[in-house]
Amino acid sequence: MALPMPYYGSTMPFDADTEYKVVQREQVANPAPLGLFAFGLTTALLQGANTAITDPETTEFWVFAYAFAYGGLAQLLAGMWEYKRQNTFGATAFSSFGAFWIGFAIHGTLVANGLYVASAGAAQITLSLWGIFTFILMVATLELNFALFSLFITLSTLFFLLVAGLTTPNPWTKIAGWWGLMVAAIAWYIAAADVINEQYKRTVLPVGRWSVGTPLAKGLKAALSKVPLLGKACVAGMDREDALSGYTKKAEDLERPGTPHDYRATRLHNNHSLYQGAWDGEAVRYEQEARGLGSAVGPY
C-alpha cells in the first residue's frame, strides 16, 4: 500500500511493507540465548564445585577457562549485540556479567598460580556490590516476564549466600552451590524458550509475560502524591521528566486502542528511519507484539 508522505518538504511514495522489510533486515539475530546459555553453563560449572559434585582441586582451571571464553567473552559479545538491538536492559546485563566472568577467570588464575593472595574481605565487598547491582536489574524485570524476574531475584540472593559462605563456609558454601545450580537452570530455561519459541513461531516454553512494573510505579507515584511538600515535589519532578523524555507521549501512543498497522508505519516513516538505517526497529517491535512473540530479555 503506497502512501504519499511528506519528506523534507517534498512528496514521495511510501510503502509500509517495504519499510517493514528494510527494518527487519537491519536487525541482528537475538543474542539473548547466547548470553543466557553462557551464563548458565559457567554458573553451573562453578557451583558444581561448591556443592562438591565435582572436585574443586581438579576442576578449577576448567572453570576458569570457560569463565573467560564462554561465560565472559561470549556473554560480553551478546551484550554488545544487545546494544545494536537498542535493548538497554539486555546490553547492561550481558555486558556486565560477561565482564564479571572475565574478571573472575583472571583473578582465579592469578590466585591458583600463587601470583596473588586472595582477600576474603575484598571478595565479600565485591560479591555484595554485585548482589545489589543484580537487585537493581531485577526491578526492571517487573516489566518483562516472570521467568526473568525469577532469574535475577535468585541470582541476587546467590551473591549474598556466597558472601555468607566466605564468613561461615559450612553450611553456606554448599547451600550457595545448590542455589546456584537452580539459577543456572532458570537461565537455561529462558534461553531455551527464546530459541524454541522463535523457531516454532509460537509459545512452546512460556516465560510468564507480565507487566506488573507499571502498576507498581503508578502506585508509588500515587502514594508520593499524598505526602505533603517533598512527596508532591517528587511527583511534579517525575511528571516533568516524563514529558521531557517523551515517555508520556509514547505511553499514549502504545495505549491507544485499535492502533492501526499504518499508524505505526507512518510514525516510523516520519522519523526518517528508512534513510537513517532503521535502527529503532519499531516495525519489528510492532509485529512481535501483534504475534505475542519476542525475546524474553526484550525489547522485542
Side-chain angles (χ1 to χ4, degrees), residues 99-183:
F100 167 84
W101 283 117
I102 292 174
F104 174 84
I106 295 173
H107 176 271
T109 302
L110 292 175
V111 172
N113 285 281
L115 300 176
Y116 172 76
V117 178
S119 168
Q124 287 176 323
I125 293 174
T126 302
L127 291 172
S128 296
L129 291 174
W130 275 101
I132 296 170
F133 167 75
T134 307
F135 183 85
I136 293 171
L137 291 182
M138 181 274 297
V139 175
T141 65
L142 294 173
E143 199 63 12
L144 291 170
N145 55 74
F146 177 74
L148 209 58
F149 167 80
S150 300
L151 174 62
F152 278 84
I153 192 66
T154 54
L155 178 57
S156 180
T157 304
L158 173 61
F159 280 116
F160 292 109
L161 288 175
L162 292 171
V163 171
L166 291 172
T167 304
T168 311
N170 189 17
W172 290 110
T173 297
K174 185 165 288 189
I175 292 174
W178 287 108
W179 189 271
L181 291 177
M182 178 181 66
V183 172

Side-chain angles (χ1 to χ4, degrees), residues 41-285:
L41 185 143
T42 313
T43 300
L45 285 175
L46 176 61
Q47 301 311 320
N50 285 339
T51 58
I53 293 177
T54 58
D55 183 4
E57 298 296 328
T58 59
T59 59
E60 60 180 10
F61 285 106
W62 186 259
V63 173
F64 296 153
Y66 272 87
F68 183 84
Y70 196 39
L73 183 58
Q75 195 174 180
L76 182 62
L77 289 173
M80 296 299 103
W81 286 317
E82 288 286 13
Y83 277 110
K84 172 76 171 179
R85 289 166 61 89
Q86 291 197 340
N87 182 5
T88 303
F89 175 83
T92 303
F94 288 135
S95 300
S96 297
F97 285 108
F100 167 84
W101 283 117
I102 292 174
F104 174 84
I106 295 173
H107 176 271
T109 302
L110 292 175
V111 172
N113 285 281
L115 300 176
Y116 172 76
V117 178
S119 168
Q124 287 176 323
I125 293 174
T126 302
L127 291 172
S128 296
L129 291 174
W130 275 101
I132 296 170
F133 167 75
T134 307
F135 183 85
I136 293 171
L137 291 182
M138 181 274 297
V139 175
T141 65
L142 294 173
E143 199 63 12
L144 291 170
N145 55 74
F146 177 74
L148 209 58
F149 167 80
S150 300
L151 174 62
F152 278 84
I153 192 66
T154 54
L155 178 57
S156 180
T157 304
L158 173 61
F159 280 116
F160 292 109
L161 288 175
L162 292 171
V163 171
L166 291 172
T167 304
T168 311
N170 189 17
W172 290 110
T173 297
K174 185 165 288 189
I175 292 174
W178 287 108
W179 189 271
L181 291 177
M182 178 181 66
V183 172
I186 295 173
W188 270 41
Y189 175 85
I190 301 172
D194 254 12
V195 172
I196 294 172
N197 293 348
E198 181 177 319
Q199 291 303 311
Y200 281 83
K201 301 296 187 294
R202 59 174 51 86
T203 299
V204 178
L205 296 176
V207 293
R209 296 189 182 278
W210 61 4
S211 182
V212 300
T214 296
L216 288 175
K218 290 180 178 179
L220 175 61
K221 189 174 181 179
L224 283 173
S225 65
K226 297 178 181 179
V227 179
L229 298 178
L230 183 59
K232 292 184 177 180
C234 288
V235 171
M238 293 162 69
D239 289 338
R240 181 174 181 274
E241 288 191 25
D242 281 346
L244 290 174
S245 62
Y247 290 147
T248 304
K249 177 61 178 174
K250 184 176 182 180
E252 291 174 355
D253 290 343
L254 295 178
E255 292 174 2
R256 181 181 301 180
T259 299
H261 173 99
D262 293 338
Y263 170 76
R264 293 285 183 92
T266 301
R267 184 156 65 94
L268 180 62
H269 176 76
N270 287 338
N271 289 337
H272 315 310
S273 61
L274 184 61
Y275 304 94
Q276 294 182 4
W279 301 125
D280 62 350
E282 185 71 21
V284 178
R285 291 189 184 92

